[in-house]
Amino acid sequence: MGKATGYRIISYGEMVTDRPRIDAYARALQQAIGTGTVVIDIGAGTGIFSLLACQYGATQTHAVEPDEAIEVARTMSGANGCGDRVEFHQTLSTKLTLSRPADVIVSDLRGVLPLFQHHIGAIADARRRLLAPGGVLIPARDRLWVALIEAPKLYRPYAEPWLRNDYGLDLSAGQPLVVNTWRKVNAKAEELLVPPQHWATLDYYSIEQPDVAGELTWTAERTGTAHGLAVWFDAELAEGIGFSNAPGEPELIYGQAFFPLQEPVALSEGDQVSVMLRADLVDDDYVWRWDTRVTAAGDPSHVKAKFRQSTFYGAPISLEKLKRRGDSFVPQPVEAAEIDRFVLSLVDGRTSLGEIASRLVGRYPQRFARQQEALTHVADLIERYAGR
Ligand SMILES: C[S@@+](CC[C@H](N)C(=O)[O-])C[C@H]1O[C@@H](n2cnc3c(N)ncnc32)[C@H](O)[C@@H]1O
């Protein structure tokens, strides 16, 4: 078993009803599946791609999903007559081994953008270990696009609550944090202030590195106020089959990522804008950085705006917490740690959860009044290590 990702079943349902996305995936699968095809569905969720693969005649489909949602997929497989043609693996793809590589690997491990958690590492690993030579990857590639947008409404949460209120309070301390965060939006085509620029292509047939960096430059073609960057992707699932998340296209589940500017910038025709945008995977999440420089039309020495922004600066963090994570911090023993150490010392591959819980109650009667309480604690702790 692997780690549950926390999507609720209702969210998997929303993914299934995202028609342009599912229609495109269905067409790509249908095109890739022939007699004898073996498919791996990475991140199967409630199994939509596995069921489609089965319907299109795949001999064998491996549905891979760490979340408990896989139980629903299992039931649906029975309900759709897929029986032993879909095999379920409740784990991460990176832990999966198969005796025979697959002809097709299908997945959608993206968030708002494909730069999401360990998506790229998981696909690169699956391509290397689980895909037969000449096999098909769905999606084949994603192209990322960036544009400056004029969107006062989208910008409001970055200014209004922090810079003015009717109570005479100074709330400005929140603003430097919030302008260093991004969020999902649904931008409109008319909000684009400049033509979109291509930022990066993620070619899943060759990609190795999860980090992306690139500079974008524009010459403003009209007057307007730049509030931030919209970032989105176009997916190519197979040749000629895909979908676009561009503002103005039919709305998809992904939307666009909105990166606010530190302050809105009034642009005149001919102004030069350059943005260095980078995304670096750190532990389980991306740290984003967007450095913006705007110079006046015809006068590069006149800098109208210069911002350095990063999600690194977006979360409040106390000095105390920083200290507690520092190299020289000496942690003191606390009872909670002793309890967990005691539980882990009893994990020997022979002792049941119930026995461990009984020993826990015996050792810490003040902390665990009832066996059930101890059992829940032990089960939660053990689950953290399951599948690692
Ligand atoms: C966005 S959902 C997609 C669900 C379904 N395939 C769809 O497209 O409607 C992504 C799923 O991938 C799973 N997941 C993420 N990384 C994974 C990995 N390396 N191996 C297997 N599943 C993974 C998550 O638990 C989540 O359920």
Side-chain angles (χ1 to χ4, degrees):
M1 245 201 345
K3 218 164 60 168
T5 48
Y7 279 117
R8 294 178 305 153
I9 296 298
I10 198 163
S11 306
Y12 288 112
E14 283 162 8
M15 296 175 208
V16 171
T17 48
D18 195 22
R19 277 304 291 272
R21 181 185 82 101
I22 294 287
D23 283 355
Y25 267 95
R27 274 186 288 134
L29 274 170
Q30 196 160 21
Q31 181 177 285
I33 292 171
T35 327
T37 304
V38 173
V39 177
I40 305 179
D41 173 7
I42 299 182
T46 51
I48 180 73
F49 298 156
S50 296
L51 299 178
L52 286 171
C54 166
Q55 191 177 86
Y56 298 144
T59 308
Q60 183 78 52
T61 298
H62 297 279
V64 191
E65 171 59 61
D67 196 276
E68 299 285 314
I70 198 168
E71 289 306 317
V72 184
R74 217 187 282 275
T75 308
M76 288 176 185
S77 171
N80 288 281
C82 293
D84 56 7
R85 286 197 294 136
V86 181
E87 195 176 322
F88 294 90
H89 307 265
Q90 189 173 7
T91 188
L92 286 168
S93 58
T94 43
K95 299 204 178 98
L96 181 74
T97 50
L98 293 176
S99 53
R100 187 201 141 162
D103 308 296
V104 176
I105 293 183
V106 62
S107 70
D108 186 349
L109 307 182
R110 313 174 184 96
V112 173
L113 297 172
L115 300 173
F116 182 65
Q117 297 176 347
H118 292 286
H119 170 205
I120 291 175
I123 298 303
D125 166 74
R127 184 192 68 223
R128 284 191 296 262
R129 291 190 309 110
L130 304 170
L131 187 67
V136 172
L137 283 175
I138 305 172
R141 54 195 64 82
D142 287 329
R143 290 189 179 81
L144 287 133
W145 298 90
V146 185
L148 283 167
I149 58 173
E150 177 166 29
K153 240 171 139 175
L154 296 182
Y155 196 78
R156 235 178 249 162
Y158 305 95
E160 246 177 49
W162 319 108
L163 301 184
R164 47 194 158 268
N165 63 79
D166 293 335
Y167 310 101
L169 297 170
D170 178 355
L171 305 181
S172 59
Q175 212 245 354
L177 295 171
V178 82
V179 294
N180 283 294
T181 61
W182 68 270
R183 78 182 204 279
K184 173 183 166 173
V185 298
N186 286 303
K188 301 183 184 66
E190 56 273 24
E191 290 172 333
L192 297 180
L193 196 51
V194 292
Q197 292 262 347
H198 173 246
W199 178 49
T201 294
L202 310 178
D203 186 336
Y204 298 115
Y205 282 98
S206 58
I207 198 160
E208 294 290 347
Q209 291 304 320
D211 302 339
V212 173
E215 188 169 18
L216 305 142
T217 54
W218 290 276
T219 302
E221 289 170 12
R222 68 172 172 95
T223 299
T225 303
H227 289 100
L229 304 164
V231 183
W232 67 89
F233 70 97
D234 291 346
E236 185 182 328
L237 300 182
E239 212 179 313
I241 304 176
F243 52 81
S244 170
N245 289 289
E249 291 292 324
E251 227 169 77
L252 290 164
I253 200 156
Y254 313 95
Q256 301 89 34
F258 177 63
F259 292 81
L261 292 183
Q262 192 171 304
E263 289 163 20
V265 181
L267 292 182
S268 307
E269 205 183 313
D271 284 354
Q272 303 288 314
V273 182
S274 80
V275 176
M276 182 66 200
L277 178 65
R278 57 180 308 139
D280 295 291
L281 185 65
V282 179
D283 296 331
D284 289 339
D285 278 311
Y286 277 88
V287 172
W288 287 85
R289 178 166 185 147
W290 58 112
D291 293 346
T292 311
R293 188 179 151 91
V294 182
T295 54
D299 181 6
S301 65
H302 177 194
V303 179
K304 293 176 75 172
K306 192 174 173 201
F307 309 133
R308 289 169 166 266
Q309 292 169 268
S310 167
T311 51
F312 184 75
Y313 307 119
I317 182 158
S318 65
L319 270 181
E320 179 58 24
K321 182 160 179 186
L322 277 179
K323 238 168 55 190
R324 282 151 99 18
R325 296 182 66 87
D327 187 50
S328 56
F329 181 71
V330 180
Q332 297 303 312
V334 290
E335 191 189 53
E338 279 169 28
I339 287 171
D340 289 354
R341 186 163 41 223
F342 178 67
V343 170
L344 293 175
S345 74
L346 297 176
V347 177
D348 56 6
R350 295 185 302 276
T351 313
S352 71
L353 288 190
E355 286 169 62
I356 297 175
S358 301
R359 304 261 302 268
L360 190 58
V361 174
R363 177 83 167 247
Y364 296 96
Q366 313 290 15
R367 168 70 179 79
F368 298 99
R370 290 179 299 121
Q371 165 85 5
Q372 184 57 47
E373 221 180 300
L375 183 61
T376 305
H377 185 86
V378 172
D380 285 348
L381 183 64
I382 300 302
E383 201 170 8
R384 278 182 48 197
Y385 294 97
R388 282 183 182 235

